[in-house]
Amino acid sequence: MKFFTTPFSRLLILALFLATAACTDSDALIDISSESYALLDTDSTSVDFPSDYKGNISLISFMFTNCPDVCPTITANMGNIQRELEDTSSIRFIEITFDPERDTPSVLKDYKETYRLNDQFSLLTSDPKTMRDLLTRLEIFAEKDYVDTIDQDSSDYFMRHSNTLYLMDEQGRIRAEYPAHVVPPGNVIEDIEYLR
Amino acid sequence: MILSIRGCTFFPFFLLLFWGCSSEPSDDRKPDSGDIELTDVWARPGSQGSASSVYFQIYNGREMTDTLREVSSGEAGMAELHESFEDEEGISEMRRVENLVINPGERVHLQPAGLHIMLMELTRDLTPGDSVEITLEFVLQGEKSLTVPVQMQP
């Protein structure tokens, strides 16, 4: 018992505590494992995010369906990662819309069919407030960019947005971040294998 | 004698100067085909009412600078030349490009996440295997019509 009262032992215990804390907290870029966001899938079924994806490794990107260039490029890169993975079991591909007002479940369903995405892909939307809260928590920027700059109520807009791909571990913690449309699939696959 | 020595001294310099001028075009070929060439043409799928993008390479085989100044399609409510770019904070944005200047012998790439023809308000679904008609208007070349195959991103 005397060991635990010496200055050296106290220092050792503090160092061990800090090292343990560093190993757990610093592994996650963003930890949403204990949070819950009510989202909707393409068939309008409720999704509890991220809980419903726990036990899987998930790739998460962000898009809107009226985006003609960059977002389909991100979707194509997600598809490339899926194709290049030798084993896709327990891997989920999630695309979350920046634009919940226009991207209803049925619109996302059309997009999913147009780009021939299989059932490993979830395209998720929600009510605008929930989506805003989630995007803010995930440090994703999205802002409407009106075609007619005077008519701010118009539904005719594009979006300025982050270009981010996240890797989420089986506990629901964001572990890696990539530039979504240009990251080489091999880099992401290497990190997926590390998490497995 | 002095002149000839100077001539010998400067000859390689002038040779390099002119060689440098002839290699200025970004393409290996000299601009001698006398035409605007469009290759690797394709369009993204898109559903009726939404948007699609068209991509290709433009090679200016003319000996004069040409400019792409107008695009149109009977299968879209609006067609414009756009450019996707990232600002200094990495935020993706898009801007309209009014005129695309192509120098003699230059090859310009319209490609994903860069320059592209944006088709808005599609009048019908575009699915892989379909094609879509577009027309490009160049200042010198005039109009060029294209049948663009719809396909998934390669």
Side-chain angles (χ1 to χ4, degrees):
Chain A
M1 284 298 283
K2 193 178 176 184
F3 174 79
F4 293 102
T5 59
T6 65
F8 172 74
S9 64
R10 285 175 181 166
L11 201 62
L12 187 66
I13 289 165
L14 179 64
L16 281 171
F17 173 77
L18 289 175
T20 308
C23 283
T24 52
D25 290 342
S26 67
D27 283 348
L29 296 178
I30 303 169
D31 188 352
I32 52 170
S33 57
S34 60
E35 298 171 31
S36 174
Y37 298 87
L39 307 183
L40 292 170
D41 208 336
T42 48
D43 57 2
S44 296
T45 54
S46 299
V47 171
D48 184 359
F49 183 84
S51 288
D52 288 355
Y53 296 94
K54 286 182 179 175
N56 296 285
I57 293 171
S58 301
L59 284 170
I60 307 167
S61 66
F62 306 86
M63 46 73 82
F64 67 108
T65 61
N66 276 268
C67 171
D69 182 45
V70 170
C71 302
T73 306
I74 292 169
T75 299
N77 208 21
M78 296 270 277
N80 291 338
I81 294 165
Q82 185 187 35
R83 272 189 295 280
E84 291 188 26
L85 268 167
E86 284 183 12
D87 177 10
T88 59
S89 60
S90 301
I91 307 291
R92 299 301 304 268
F93 299 85
I94 302 167
E95 295 202 63
I96 296 174
T97 181
F98 302 117
D99 189 13
E101 289 157 24
R102 293 185 297 186
D103 286 344
T104 60
S106 65
V107 170
L108 291 175
K109 187 176 184 181
D110 282 346
Y111 184 90
K112 188 174 178 178
E113 287 171 358
T114 298
Y115 286 96
R116 297 174 174 175
L117 306 174
N118 70 12
D119 286 342
Q120 280 187 309
F121 275 80
S122 300
L123 275 68
L124 304 177
T125 187
S126 186
D127 62 89
K129 183 186 179 307
T130 302
M131 193 54 75
R132 197 165 48 246
D133 290 347
L134 174 60
L135 294 178
T136 302
R137 181 68 179 95
L138 291 175
E139 300 173 8
I140 297 298
F141 173 85
E143 182 181 80
K144 290 176 182 173
D145 190 7
Y146 288 93
V147 175
D148 180 351
T149 52
I150 297 169
D151 185 4
Q152 299 291 301
D153 293 326
S154 166
S155 61
D156 194 9
Y157 57 86
F158 293 100
M159 301 197 82
R160 302 171 62 236
H161 57 85
S162 300
N163 182 5
T164 303
L165 175 65
Y166 281 138
L167 180 61
M168 186 168 75
D169 67 18
E170 294 178 343
Q171 287 77 47
R173 302 177 307 166
I174 305 297
R175 299 288 298 274
E177 176 185 348
Y178 317 91
H181 71 299
V182 292
V183 62
N187 293 27
V188 180
I189 291 168
E190 210 169 275
D191 291 344
I192 289 172
E193 297 303 337
Y194 171 76
L195 289 183
R196 271 179 163 159
Chain B
M1 188 65 179
I2 293 171
L3 282 174
S4 67
I5 290 169
R6 282 179 176 169
C8 288
T9 307
F10 285 121
F11 180 72
F13 170 74
F14 283 116
L15 193 67
L16 279 172
L17 188 69
F18 285 109
W19 181 71
C21 287
S22 66
S23 67
E24 188 180 345
S26 59
D27 197 85
D28 292 340
R29 293 178 293 170
K30 291 180 180 176
D32 57 5
S33 64
D35 204 356
I36 291 285
E37 295 173 17
L38 304 167
T39 54
D40 299 333
V41 182
W42 65 284
R44 288 189 187 284
S47 51
Q48 184 177 355
S50 73
S52 174
S53 293
V54 177
Y55 307 97
F56 47 82
Q57 294 182 30
I58 309 177
Y59 173 71
N60 183 2
R62 305 175 71 93
E63 292 183 341
M64 295 176 72
T65 296
D66 208 344
T67 303
L68 173 60
R69 64 179 177 188
E70 202 76 53
V71 294
S72 60
S73 172
E75 294 168 272
M78 203 185 325
E80 292 176 347
L81 177 62
H82 281 227
E83 182 178 29
S84 299
F85 66 101
E86 285 190 355
D87 68 15
E88 62 278 4
E89 292 171 347
I91 300 301
S92 285
E93 298 187 50
M94 197 165 56
R95 61 188 160 214
R96 185 177 179 193
V97 177
E98 298 283 352
N99 292 292
L100 179 63
V101 175
I102 312 133
N103 295 318
E106 185 181 11
R107 183 179 295 278
V108 176
H109 297 258
L110 276 69
Q111 58 194 4
L115 287 166
H116 57 278
I117 304 293
M118 196 162 87
L119 305 178
M120 291 168 274
E121 302 161 17
L122 292 171
T123 57
R124 63 179 176 89
D125 290 347
L126 299 181
T127 55
D130 283 348
S131 60
V132 59
E133 304 292 325
I134 67 166
T135 301
L136 310 177
E137 187 187 330
F138 294 89
V139 170
L140 297 182
Q141 180 78 34
E143 284 191 0
K144 276 185 91 80
S145 293
L146 285 175
T147 300
V148 182
V150 178
Q151 62 183 61
M152 304 302 282
Q153 184 170 333

